[in-house]
mmCIF file of all heavy atoms in Angstrom:
data_model
loop_
_atom_site.group_PDB
_atom_site.id
_atom_site.type_symbol
_atom_site.label_atom_id
_atom_site.label_comp_id
_atom_site.label_asym_id
_atom_site.label_seq_id
_atom_site.Cartn_x
_atom_site.Cartn_y
_atom_site.Cartn_z
ATOM 1 N N MET I 3 41.716 -9.953 65.819
ATOM 2 C CA MET I 3 43.038 -9.601 65.285
ATOM 3 C C MET I 3 42.985 -8.245 64.601
ATOM 4 O O MET I 3 41.991 -7.867 64.017
ATOM 5 C CB MET I 3 43.478 -10.648 64.247
ATOM 6 C CG MET I 3 43.744 -12.023 64.825
ATOM 7 S SD MET I 3 45.284 -12.098 65.742
ATOM 8 C CE MET I 3 46.482 -12.163 64.415
ATOM 9 N N LYS I 4 44.117 -7.564 64.676
ATOM 10 C CA LYS I 4 44.271 -6.288 63.978
ATOM 11 C C LYS I 4 45.236 -6.487 62.815
ATOM 12 O O LYS I 4 46.128 -7.334 62.883
ATOM 13 C CB LYS I 4 44.860 -5.234 64.916
ATOM 14 C CG LYS I 4 44.001 -4.925 66.117
ATOM 15 C CD LYS I 4 42.839 -4.047 65.726
ATOM 16 C CE LYS I 4 42.075 -3.609 66.976
ATOM 17 N NZ LYS I 4 40.814 -2.936 66.606
ATOM 18 N N ALA I 5 45.049 -5.708 61.775
ATOM 19 C CA ALA I 5 45.954 -5.788 60.639
ATOM 20 C C ALA I 5 46.263 -4.378 60.145
ATOM 21 O O ALA I 5 45.462 -3.457 60.293
ATOM 22 C CB ALA I 5 45.324 -6.610 59.523
ATOM 23 N N PHE I 6 47.429 -4.265 59.573
ATOM 24 C CA PHE I 6 47.850 -2.972 59.054
ATOM 25 C C PHE I 6 48.696 -3.194 57.811
ATOM 26 O O PHE I 6 49.559 -4.069 57.787
ATOM 27 C CB PHE I 6 48.670 -2.222 60.102
ATOM 28 C CG PHE I 6 49.341 -0.986 59.572
ATOM 29 C CD1 PHE I 6 48.604 0.131 59.235
ATOM 30 C CD2 PHE I 6 50.720 -0.947 59.413
ATOM 31 C CE1 PHE I 6 49.227 1.271 58.722
ATOM 32 C CE2 PHE I 6 51.350 0.192 58.903
ATOM 33 C CZ PHE I 6 50.607 1.300 58.564
ATOM 34 N N ARG I 7 48.402 -2.417 56.766
ATOM 35 C CA ARG I 7 49.227 -2.464 55.551
ATOM 36 C C ARG I 7 50.089 -1.226 55.496
ATOM 37 O O ARG I 7 49.582 -0.103 55.454
ATOM 38 C CB ARG I 7 48.320 -2.478 54.311
ATOM 39 C CG ARG I 7 47.830 -3.851 53.916
ATOM 40 C CD ARG I 7 47.430 -3.873 52.456
ATOM 41 N NE ARG I 7 46.562 -2.746 52.142
ATOM 42 C CZ ARG I 7 45.253 -2.862 51.971
ATOM 43 N NH1 ARG I 7 44.673 -4.019 52.030
ATOM 44 N NH2 ARG I 7 44.523 -1.794 51.715
ATOM 45 N N CYS I 8 51.381 -1.426 55.477
ATOM 46 C CA CYS I 8 52.299 -0.283 55.453
ATOM 47 C C CYS I 8 52.046 0.588 54.228
ATOM 48 O O CYS I 8 52.181 1.799 54.278
ATOM 49 C CB CYS I 8 53.750 -0.775 55.500
ATOM 50 S SG CYS I 8 54.930 0.540 55.794
ATOM 51 N N GLY I 9 51.641 -0.043 53.120
ATOM 52 C CA GLY I 9 51.398 0.698 51.894
ATOM 53 C C GLY I 9 50.296 1.748 52.006
ATOM 54 O O GLY I 9 50.208 2.659 51.189
ATOM 55 N N ASP I 10 49.446 1.627 53.033
ATOM 56 C CA ASP I 10 48.408 2.648 53.238
ATOM 57 C C ASP I 10 49.021 3.967 53.702
ATOM 58 O O ASP I 10 48.409 5.028 53.607
ATOM 59 C CB ASP I 10 47.387 2.170 54.271
ATOM 60 C CG ASP I 10 46.492 1.069 53.701
ATOM 61 O OD1 ASP I 10 46.430 0.922 52.474
ATOM 62 O OD2 ASP I 10 45.866 0.352 54.512
ATOM 63 N N VAL I 11 50.232 3.877 54.272
ATOM 64 C CA VAL I 11 50.901 5.068 54.797
ATOM 65 C C VAL I 11 52.132 5.418 53.970
ATOM 66 O O VAL I 11 52.423 6.578 53.737
ATOM 67 C CB VAL I 11 51.299 4.841 56.284
ATOM 68 C CG1 VAL I 11 52.091 6.019 56.816
ATOM 69 C CG2 VAL I 11 50.045 4.606 57.129
ATOM 70 N N VAL I 12 52.843 4.382 53.553
ATOM 71 C CA VAL I 12 54.054 4.571 52.750
ATOM 72 C C VAL I 12 53.811 3.953 51.368
ATOM 73 O O VAL I 12 53.902 2.735 51.212
ATOM 74 C CB VAL I 12 55.277 3.886 53.408
ATOM 75 C CG1 VAL I 12 56.530 4.151 52.586
ATOM 76 C CG2 VAL I 12 55.449 4.361 54.838
ATOM 77 N N PRO I 13 53.459 4.779 50.387
ATOM 78 C CA PRO I 13 53.158 4.255 49.051
ATOM 79 C C PRO I 13 54.297 3.390 48.518
ATOM 80 O O PRO I 13 55.466 3.754 48.625
ATOM 81 C CB PRO I 13 52.997 5.525 48.207
ATOM 82 C CG PRO I 13 52.587 6.564 49.187
ATOM 83 C CD PRO I 13 53.319 6.235 50.454
ATOM 84 N N GLY I 14 53.929 2.233 47.987
ATOM 85 C CA GLY I 14 54.934 1.362 47.394
ATOM 86 C C GLY I 14 55.441 0.274 48.306
ATOM 87 O O GLY I 14 56.092 -0.661 47.857
ATOM 88 N N CYS I 15 55.164 0.373 49.612
ATOM 89 C CA CYS I 15 55.623 -0.659 50.538
ATOM 90 C C CYS I 15 54.581 -1.766 50.605
ATOM 91 O O CYS I 15 53.394 -1.508 50.762
ATOM 92 C CB CYS I 15 55.862 -0.084 51.932
ATOM 93 S SG CYS I 15 56.516 -1.342 53.066
ATOM 94 N N ALA I 16 55.026 -3.010 50.478
ATOM 95 C CA ALA I 16 54.096 -4.137 50.415
ATOM 96 C C ALA I 16 53.965 -4.886 51.736
ATOM 97 O O ALA I 16 53.244 -5.880 51.810
ATOM 98 C CB ALA I 16 54.546 -5.103 49.322
ATOM 99 N N ARG I 17 54.655 -4.429 52.791
ATOM 100 C CA ARG I 17 54.609 -5.151 54.053
ATOM 101 C C ARG I 17 53.227 -5.078 54.696
ATOM 102 O O ARG I 17 52.584 -4.030 54.684
ATOM 103 C CB ARG I 17 55.626 -4.559 55.050
ATOM 104 C CG ARG I 17 57.012 -5.175 54.977
ATOM 105 C CD ARG I 17 57.065 -6.636 55.315
ATOM 106 N NE ARG I 17 56.823 -6.941 56.705
ATOM 107 C CZ ARG I 17 57.768 -6.885 57.647
ATOM 108 N NH1 ARG I 17 58.976 -6.497 57.382
ATOM 109 N NH2 ARG I 17 57.474 -7.213 58.895
ATOM 110 N N GLU I 18 52.801 -6.216 55.237
ATOM 111 C CA GLU I 18 51.554 -6.241 56.001
ATOM 112 C C GLU I 18 51.843 -6.791 57.377
ATOM 113 O O GLU I 18 52.710 -7.645 57.543
ATOM 114 C CB GLU I 18 50.521 -7.144 55.315
ATOM 115 C CG GLU I 18 49.986 -6.553 54.031
ATOM 116 C CD GLU I 18 48.743 -7.295 53.551
ATOM 117 O OE1 GLU I 18 47.807 -7.460 54.354
ATOM 118 O OE2 GLU I 18 48.724 -7.721 52.388
ATOM 119 N N PHE I 19 51.100 -6.332 58.343
ATOM 120 C CA PHE I 19 51.284 -6.777 59.718
ATOM 121 C C PHE I 19 49.966 -7.240 60.297
ATOM 122 O O PHE I 19 48.924 -6.654 60.029
ATOM 123 C CB PHE I 19 51.804 -5.623 60.592
ATOM 124 C CG PHE I 19 53.068 -5.009 60.080
ATOM 125 C CD1 PHE I 19 53.020 -3.951 59.187
ATOM 126 C CD2 PHE I 19 54.300 -5.500 60.466
ATOM 127 C CE1 PHE I 19 54.187 -3.380 58.689
ATOM 128 C CE2 PHE I 19 55.480 -4.950 59.976
ATOM 129 C CZ PHE I 19 55.417 -3.891 59.087
ATOM 130 N N THR I 20 50.017 -8.288 61.073
ATOM 131 C CA THR I 20 48.843 -8.685 61.836
ATOM 132 C C THR I 20 49.282 -8.869 63.278
ATOM 133 O O THR I 20 50.412 -9.268 63.557
ATOM 134 C CB THR I 20 48.240 -10.004 61.325
ATOM 135 O OG1 THR I 20 49.251 -11.008 61.299
ATOM 136 C CG2 THR I 20 47.646 -9.843 59.937
ATOM 137 N N GLY I 21 48.383 -8.558 64.194
ATOM 138 C CA GLY I 21 48.723 -8.685 65.605
ATOM 139 C C GLY I 21 47.481 -8.819 66.450
ATOM 140 O O GLY I 21 46.364 -8.660 65.964
ATOM 141 N N THR I 22 47.721 -9.106 67.710
ATOM 142 C CA THR I 22 46.597 -9.324 68.614
ATOM 143 C C THR I 22 45.920 -8.025 69.001
ATOM 144 O O THR I 22 44.718 -7.977 69.230
ATOM 145 C CB THR I 22 47.066 -10.031 69.901
ATOM 146 O OG1 THR I 22 48.206 -9.343 70.423
ATOM 147 C CG2 THR I 22 47.446 -11.466 69.602
ATOM 148 N N ASP I 23 46.695 -6.959 69.072
ATOM 149 C CA ASP I 23 46.096 -5.674 69.431
ATOM 150 C C ASP I 23 46.945 -4.535 68.862
ATOM 151 O O ASP I 23 47.951 -4.754 68.188
ATOM 152 C CB ASP I 23 45.943 -5.537 70.950
ATOM 153 C CG ASP I 23 47.287 -5.680 71.671
ATOM 154 O OD1 ASP I 23 48.340 -5.501 71.030
ATOM 155 O OD2 ASP I 23 47.266 -5.985 72.866
ATOM 156 N N ARG I 24 46.510 -3.337 69.141
ATOM 157 C CA ARG I 24 47.150 -2.128 68.623
ATOM 158 C C ARG I 24 48.636 -2.078 68.982
ATOM 159 O O ARG I 24 49.481 -1.765 68.144
ATOM 160 C CB ARG I 24 46.378 -0.952 69.232
ATOM 161 C CG ARG I 24 46.997 0.386 69.143
ATOM 162 C CD ARG I 24 46.187 1.339 70.025
ATOM 163 N NE ARG I 24 46.852 2.628 70.160
ATOM 164 C CZ ARG I 24 47.845 2.861 70.993
ATOM 165 N NH1 ARG I 24 48.287 1.904 71.774
ATOM 166 N NH2 ARG I 24 48.401 4.055 71.052
ATOM 167 N N GLN I 25 48.958 -2.382 70.221
ATOM 168 C CA GLN I 25 50.350 -2.300 70.654
ATOM 169 C C GLN I 25 51.231 -3.313 69.916
ATOM 170 O O GLN I 25 52.375 -3.016 69.582
ATOM 171 C CB GLN I 25 50.444 -2.509 72.175
ATOM 172 C CG GLN I 25 51.839 -2.203 72.734
ATOM 173 C CD GLN I 25 52.263 -0.752 72.452
ATOM 174 O OE1 GLN I 25 51.528 0.180 72.776
ATOM 175 N NE2 GLN I 25 53.420 -0.563 71.826
ATOM 176 N N ASP I 26 50.698 -4.483 69.694
ATOM 177 C CA ASP I 26 51.433 -5.520 68.980
ATOM 178 C C ASP I 26 51.799 -5.025 67.577
ATOM 179 O O ASP I 26 52.928 -5.160 67.111
ATOM 180 C CB ASP I 26 50.576 -6.786 68.918
ATOM 181 C CG ASP I 26 51.357 -7.998 68.412
ATOM 182 O OD1 ASP I 26 52.605 -7.946 68.387
ATOM 183 O OD2 ASP I 26 50.721 -8.988 68.044
ATOM 184 N N ILE I 27 50.825 -4.421 66.909
ATOM 185 C CA ILE I 27 51.061 -3.878 65.573
ATOM 186 C C ILE I 27 52.102 -2.757 65.634
ATOM 187 O O ILE I 27 53.042 -2.716 64.842
ATOM 188 C CB ILE I 27 49.751 -3.309 64.971
ATOM 189 C CG1 ILE I 27 48.693 -4.403 64.833
ATOM 190 C CG2 ILE I 27 50.032 -2.613 63.647
ATOM 191 C CD1 ILE I 27 48.765 -5.214 63.575
ATOM 192 N N LEU I 28 51.929 -1.856 66.583
ATOM 193 C CA LEU I 28 52.835 -0.710 66.675
ATOM 194 C C LEU I 28 54.277 -1.155 66.909
ATOM 195 O O LEU I 28 55.213 -0.577 66.355
ATOM 196 C CB LEU I 28 52.387 0.244 67.788
ATOM 197 C CG LEU I 28 51.161 1.097 67.464
ATOM 198 C CD1 LEU I 28 50.740 1.909 68.683
ATOM 199 C CD2 LEU I 28 51.432 2.026 66.290
ATOM 200 N N ASP I 29 54.456 -2.197 67.714
ATOM 201 C CA ASP I 29 55.806 -2.721 67.956
ATOM 202 C C ASP I 29 56.427 -3.225 66.657
ATOM 203 O O ASP I 29 57.597 -2.964 66.371
ATOM 204 C CB ASP I 29 55.767 -3.870 68.965
ATOM 205 C CG ASP I 29 55.473 -3.381 70.383
ATOM 206 O OD1 ASP I 29 55.567 -2.160 70.620
ATOM 207 O OD2 ASP I 29 55.160 -4.219 71.237
ATOM 208 N N GLN I 30 55.642 -3.963 65.895
ATOM 209 C CA GLN I 30 56.153 -4.509 64.635
ATOM 210 C C GLN I 30 56.442 -3.407 63.622
ATOM 211 O O GLN I 30 57.449 -3.438 62.913
ATOM 212 C CB GLN I 30 55.128 -5.478 64.025
ATOM 213 C CG GLN I 30 54.866 -6.710 64.868
ATOM 214 C CD GLN I 30 53.802 -7.580 64.228
ATOM 215 O OE1 GLN I 30 53.943 -8.029 63.098
ATOM 216 N NE2 GLN I 30 52.713 -7.827 64.947
ATOM 217 N N VAL I 31 55.550 -2.417 63.571
ATOM 218 C CA VAL I 31 55.728 -1.321 62.634
ATOM 219 C C VAL I 31 56.957 -0.486 63.003
ATOM 220 O O VAL I 31 57.710 -0.043 62.135
ATOM 221 C CB VAL I 31 54.463 -0.432 62.572
ATOM 222 C CG1 VAL I 31 54.713 0.831 61.745
ATOM 223 C CG2 VAL I 31 53.302 -1.215 61.977
ATOM 224 N N ALA I 32 57.173 -0.287 64.289
ATOM 225 C CA ALA I 32 58.338 0.483 64.743
ATOM 226 C C ALA I 32 59.625 -0.168 64.251
ATOM 227 O O ALA I 32 60.531 0.496 63.742
ATOM 228 C CB ALA I 32 58.340 0.594 66.268
ATOM 229 N N GLU I 33 59.689 -1.479 64.406
ATOM 230 C CA GLU I 33 60.860 -2.243 63.969
ATOM 231 C C GLU I 33 61.049 -2.121 62.451
ATOM 232 O O GLU I 33 62.148 -1.852 61.961
ATOM 233 C CB GLU I 33 60.637 -3.708 64.360
ATOM 234 C CG GLU I 33 61.698 -4.663 63.898
ATOM 235 C CD GLU I 33 62.858 -4.730 64.871
ATOM 236 O OE1 GLU I 33 62.598 -4.643 66.077
ATOM 237 O OE2 GLU I 33 63.990 -4.853 64.414
ATOM 238 N N HIS I 34 59.965 -2.312 61.733
ATOM 239 C CA HIS I 34 59.993 -2.232 60.273
ATOM 240 C C HIS I 34 60.361 -0.820 59.795
ATOM 241 O O HIS I 34 61.163 -0.657 58.878
ATOM 242 C CB HIS I 34 58.620 -2.646 59.738
ATOM 243 C CG HIS I 34 58.378 -2.317 58.300
ATOM 244 N ND1 HIS I 34 59.074 -2.894 57.266
ATOM 245 C CD2 HIS I 34 57.505 -1.446 57.718
ATOM 246 C CE1 HIS I 34 58.636 -2.401 56.110
ATOM 247 N NE2 HIS I 34 57.691 -1.525 56.354
ATOM 248 N N ALA I 35 59.792 0.192 60.418
ATOM 249 C CA ALA I 35 60.057 1.578 60.023
ATOM 250 C C ALA I 35 61.534 1.910 60.185
ATOM 251 O O ALA I 35 62.140 2.557 59.334
ATOM 252 C CB ALA I 35 59.205 2.540 60.853
ATOM 253 N N ARG I 36 62.097 1.434 61.283
ATOM 254 C CA ARG I 36 63.506 1.700 61.558
ATOM 255 C C ARG I 36 64.418 0.999 60.556
ATOM 256 O O ARG I 36 65.322 1.602 59.998
ATOM 257 C CB ARG I 36 63.838 1.205 62.969
ATOM 258 C CG ARG I 36 64.368 2.296 63.857
ATOM 259 C CD ARG I 36 64.656 1.754 65.246
ATOM 260 N NE ARG I 36 63.627 2.136 66.188
ATOM 261 C CZ ARG I 36 62.973 1.296 66.982
ATOM 262 N NH1 ARG I 36 63.250 0.032 66.990
ATOM 263 N NH2 ARG I 36 62.058 1.743 67.805
ATOM 264 N N SER I 37 64.176 -0.296 60.351
ATOM 265 C CA SER I 37 65.111 -1.056 59.522
ATOM 266 C C SER I 37 64.881 -0.863 58.029
ATOM 267 O O SER I 37 65.823 -0.889 57.261
ATOM 268 C CB SER I 37 65.055 -2.536 59.894
ATOM 269 O OG SER I 37 63.761 -3.041 59.753
ATOM 270 N N ASP I 38 63.625 -0.667 57.600
ATOM 271 C CA ASP I 38 63.349 -0.590 56.167
ATOM 272 C C ASP I 38 63.090 0.816 55.647
ATOM 273 O O ASP I 38 63.272 1.082 54.466
ATOM 274 C CB ASP I 38 62.168 -1.487 55.804
ATOM 275 C CG ASP I 38 62.491 -2.958 56.023
ATOM 276 O OD1 ASP I 38 63.664 -3.334 55.838
ATOM 277 O OD2 ASP I 38 61.576 -3.718 56.376
ATOM 278 N N HIS I 39 62.603 1.708 56.508
ATOM 279 C CA HIS I 39 62.323 3.061 56.032
ATOM 280 C C HIS I 39 63.229 4.103 56.671
ATOM 281 O O HIS I 39 63.140 5.287 56.350
ATOM 282 C CB HIS I 39 60.853 3.430 56.303
ATOM 283 C CG HIS I 39 59.872 2.577 55.561
ATOM 284 N ND1 HIS I 39 59.850 2.466 54.200
ATOM 285 C CD2 HIS I 39 58.872 1.768 56.007
ATOM 286 C CE1 HIS I 39 58.877 1.635 53.837
ATOM 287 N NE2 HIS I 39 58.283 1.186 54.919
ATOM 288 N N ARG I 40 64.065 3.663 57.592
ATOM 289 C CA ARG I 40 65.009 4.575 58.248
ATOM 290 C C ARG I 40 64.296 5.740 58.919
ATOM 291 O O ARG I 40 64.757 6.877 58.846
ATOM 292 C CB ARG I 40 66.037 5.120 57.252
ATOM 293 C CG ARG I 40 66.760 4.037 56.487
ATOM 294 C CD ARG I 40 67.966 3.511 57.225
ATOM 295 N NE ARG I 40 68.558 2.373 56.539
ATOM 296 C CZ ARG I 40 68.853 1.225 57.143
ATOM 297 N NH1 ARG I 40 68.617 1.055 58.420
ATOM 298 N NH2 ARG I 40 69.402 0.240 56.470
ATOM 299 N N VAL I 41 63.151 5.476 59.508
ATOM 300 C CA VAL I 41 62.468 6.526 60.262
ATOM 301 C C VAL I 41 62.157 6.011 61.654
ATOM 302 O O VAL I 41 61.942 4.806 61.866
ATOM 303 C CB VAL I 41 61.153 6.989 59.582
ATOM 304 C CG1 VAL I 41 61.449 7.624 58.244
ATOM 305 C CG2 VAL I 41 60.179 5.852 59.431
ATOM 306 N N GLU I 42 62.160 6.935 62.615
ATOM 307 C CA GLU I 42 61.762 6.599 63.970
ATOM 308 C C GLU I 42 60.268 6.839 64.096
ATOM 309 O O GLU I 42 59.707 7.734 63.453
ATOM 310 C CB GLU I 42 62.506 7.479 64.982
ATOM 311 C CG GLU I 42 63.969 7.124 65.146
ATOM 312 C CD GLU I 42 64.163 5.725 65.741
ATOM 313 O OE1 GLU I 42 63.345 5.322 66.587
ATOM 314 O OE2 GLU I 42 65.118 5.045 65.345
ATOM 315 N N VAL I 43 59.635 6.039 64.935
ATOM 316 C CA VAL I 43 58.208 6.217 65.162
ATOM 317 C C VAL I 43 57.974 7.485 65.976
ATOM 318 O O VAL I 43 58.595 7.685 67.010
ATOM 319 C CB VAL I 43 57.630 5.003 65.920
ATOM 320 C CG1 VAL I 43 56.181 5.263 66.289
ATOM 321 C CG2 VAL I 43 57.733 3.763 65.064
ATOM 322 N N ASP I 44 57.108 8.339 65.478
ATOM 323 C CA ASP I 44 56.700 9.509 66.250
ATOM 324 C C ASP I 44 55.171 9.566 66.273
ATOM 325 O O ASP I 44 54.508 8.665 65.741
ATOM 326 C CB ASP I 44 57.305 10.789 65.666
ATOM 327 C CG ASP I 44 56.891 11.013 64.204
ATOM 328 O OD1 ASP I 44 55.975 10.317 63.730
ATOM 329 O OD2 ASP I 44 57.491 11.870 63.558
ATOM 330 N N LEU I 45 54.646 10.592 66.875
ATOM 331 C CA LEU I 45 53.192 10.668 67.045
ATOM 332 C C LEU I 45 52.468 10.639 65.705
ATOM 333 O O LEU I 45 51.415 10.007 65.571
ATOM 334 C CB LEU I 45 52.836 11.947 67.826
ATOM 335 C CG LEU I 45 51.351 12.088 68.202
ATOM 336 C CD1 LEU I 45 50.881 10.905 69.058
ATOM 337 C CD2 LEU I 45 51.105 13.392 68.947
ATOM 338 N N THR I 46 53.027 11.310 64.724
ATOM 339 C CA THR I 46 52.394 11.342 63.405
ATOM 340 C C THR I 46 52.267 9.938 62.827
ATOM 341 O O THR I 46 51.224 9.568 62.274
ATOM 342 C CB THR I 46 53.226 12.215 62.436
ATOM 343 O OG1 THR I 46 53.376 13.511 63.013
ATOM 344 C CG2 THR I 46 52.536 12.342 61.093
ATOM 345 N N LEU I 47 53.329 9.141 62.985
ATOM 346 C CA LEU I 47 53.306 7.787 62.445
ATOM 347 C C LEU I 47 52.327 6.900 63.220
ATOM 348 O O LEU I 47 51.583 6.124 62.631
ATOM 349 C CB LEU I 47 54.727 7.188 62.489
ATOM 350 C CG LEU I 47 54.889 5.793 61.884
ATOM 351 C CD1 LEU I 47 54.379 5.737 60.462
ATOM 352 C CD2 LEU I 47 56.359 5.370 61.932
ATOM 353 N N VAL I 48 52.325 7.054 64.540
ATOM 354 C CA VAL I 48 51.383 6.272 65.353
ATOM 355 C C VAL I 48 49.947 6.574 64.946
ATOM 356 O O VAL I 48 49.129 5.670 64.774
ATOM 357 C CB VAL I 48 51.581 6.576 66.864
ATOM 358 C CG1 VAL I 48 50.447 5.965 67.684
ATOM 359 C CG2 VAL I 48 52.931 6.019 67.327
ATOM 360 N N GLU I 49 49.652 7.856 64.734
ATOM 361 C CA GLU I 49 48.292 8.239 64.332
ATOM 362 C C GLU I 49 47.942 7.690 62.958
ATOM 363 O O GLU I 49 46.805 7.270 62.717
ATOM 364 C CB GLU I 49 48.148 9.773 64.363
ATOM 365 C CG GLU I 49 48.040 10.298 65.777
ATOM 366 C CD GLU I 49 47.994 11.821 65.852
ATOM 367 O OE1 GLU I 49 48.226 12.491 64.830
ATOM 368 O OE2 GLU I 49 47.715 12.320 66.947
ATOM 369 N N ALA I 50 48.928 7.686 62.057
ATOM 370 C CA ALA I 50 48.694 7.162 60.715
ATOM 371 C C ALA I 50 48.406 5.665 60.779
ATOM 372 O O ALA I 50 47.527 5.158 60.080
ATOM 373 C CB ALA I 50 49.907 7.440 59.826
ATOM 374 N N VAL I 51 49.143 4.961 61.626
ATOM 375 C CA VAL I 51 48.909 3.513 61.784
ATOM 376 C C VAL I 51 47.523 3.272 62.360
ATOM 377 O O VAL I 51 46.749 2.452 61.849
ATOM 378 C CB VAL I 51 49.989 2.883 62.694
ATOM 379 C CG1 VAL I 51 49.617 1.444 63.035
ATOM 380 C CG2 VAL I 51 51.360 2.914 62.002
ATOM 381 N N GLU I 52 47.190 4.006 63.415
ATOM 382 C CA GLU I 52 45.886 3.798 64.063
ATOM 383 C C GLU I 52 44.733 4.097 63.111
ATOM 384 O O GLU I 52 43.708 3.428 63.128
ATOM 385 C CB GLU I 52 45.786 4.662 65.323
ATOM 386 C CG GLU I 52 46.678 4.126 66.430
ATOM 387 C CD GLU I 52 46.575 4.942 67.700
ATOM 388 O OE1 GLU I 52 46.247 6.133 67.632
ATOM 389 O OE2 GLU I 52 46.847 4.356 68.767
ATOM 390 N N ALA I 53 44.907 5.101 62.261
ATOM 391 C CA ALA I 53 43.847 5.482 61.327
ATOM 392 C C ALA I 53 43.619 4.395 60.277
ATOM 393 O O ALA I 53 42.553 4.317 59.678
ATOM 394 C CB ALA I 53 44.203 6.805 60.651
ATOM 395 N N ASN I 54 44.632 3.554 60.071
ATOM 396 C CA ASN I 54 44.535 2.531 59.022
ATOM 397 C C ASN I 54 44.470 1.109 59.550
ATOM 398 O O ASN I 54 44.587 0.151 58.788
ATOM 399 C CB ASN I 54 45.729 2.677 58.066
ATOM 400 C CG ASN I 54 45.614 3.921 57.194
ATOM 401 O OD1 ASN I 54 44.865 3.946 56.237
ATOM 402 N ND2 ASN I 54 46.323 4.964 57.552
ATOM 403 N N LEU I 55 44.306 0.960 60.868
ATOM 404 C CA LEU I 55 44.168 -0.386 61.439
ATOM 405 C C LEU I 55 42.875 -1.016 60.958
ATOM 406 O O LEU I 55 41.845 -0.362 60.887
ATOM 407 C CB LEU I 55 44.141 -0.323 62.975
ATOM 408 C CG LEU I 55 45.488 -0.275 63.699
ATOM 409 C CD1 LEU I 55 45.223 -0.287 65.208
ATOM 410 C CD2 LEU I 55 46.380 -1.418 63.314
ATOM 411 N N GLN I 56 42.940 -2.299 60.638
ATOM 412 C CA GLN I 56 41.748 -3.028 60.227
ATOM 413 C C GLN I 56 41.485 -4.159 61.212
ATOM 414 O O GLN I 56 42.418 -4.749 61.739
ATOM 415 C CB GLN I 56 41.963 -3.634 58.835
ATOM 416 C CG GLN I 56 42.212 -2.600 57.761
ATOM 417 C CD GLN I 56 42.882 -3.202 56.540
ATOM 418 O OE1 GLN I 56 42.888 -4.407 56.371
ATOM 419 N NE2 GLN I 56 43.442 -2.357 55.702
ATOM 420 N N ASP I 57 40.222 -4.434 61.411
ATOM 421 C CA ASP I 57 39.847 -5.583 62.246
ATOM 422 C C ASP I 57 39.716 -6.813 61.375
ATOM 423 O O ASP I 57 39.127 -6.755 60.304
ATOM 424 C CB ASP I 57 38.528 -5.317 62.969
ATOM 425 C CG ASP I 57 38.722 -4.382 64.139
ATOM 426 O OD1 ASP I 57 39.569 -4.691 64.995
ATOM 427 O OD2 ASP I 57 38.044 -3.342 64.180
ATOM 428 N N ARG I 58 40.285 -7.896 61.850
ATOM 429 C CA ARG I 58 40.202 -9.136 61.071
ATOM 430 C C ARG I 58 39.588 -10.226 61.922
ATOM 431 O O ARG I 58 39.814 -10.250 63.113
ATOM 432 C CB ARG I 58 41.590 -9.605 60.637
ATOM 433 C CG ARG I 58 42.242 -8.687 59.637
ATOM 434 C CD ARG I 58 42.583 -9.413 58.351
ATOM 435 N NE ARG I 58 43.018 -8.481 57.334
ATOM 436 C CZ ARG I 58 44.261 -8.502 56.787
ATOM 437 N NH1 ARG I 58 45.128 -9.387 57.170
ATOM 438 N NH2 ARG I 58 44.573 -7.629 55.868
HETATM 439 ZN ZN1 ZN Y 17 56.872 -0.272 55.039
#
């Protein structure tokens, strides 16, 4: 399993995500970024997520 804490990229955000693989996480983060942070996923955000992915 992969895990990602939004707070590692967006200070103050407490959302955590777990998924089966990188794409699963990215899909969830894209949805969250749009609805809660009002940002669209771009390359910078994808790289930030990948840099902070954890193996569980
Ligand atoms: Zn967040």
Side-chain angles (χ1 to χ4, degrees):
M3 293 286 283
K4 298 283 187 189
F6 170 70
R7 275 202 311 256
C8 191
D10 288 342
V11 175
V12 183
C15 183
R17 271 297 290 277
E18 289 194 52
F19 304 89
T20 54
T22 50
D23 58 20
R24 166 190 171 280
Q25 190 59 53
D26 190 15
I27 299 275
L28 285 175
D29 288 346
Q30 296 178 58
V31 172
E33 176 86 36
H34 166 66
R36 238 179 257 128
S37 58
D38 295 327
H39 296 302
R40 306 274 174 230
V41 296
E42 287 295 325
V43 174
D44 59 12
L45 186 59
T46 304
L47 183 54
V48 170
E49 285 176 350
V51 171
E52 288 181 334
N54 288 283
L55 276 183
Q56 299 160 16
D57 284 305
R58 293 238 171 117

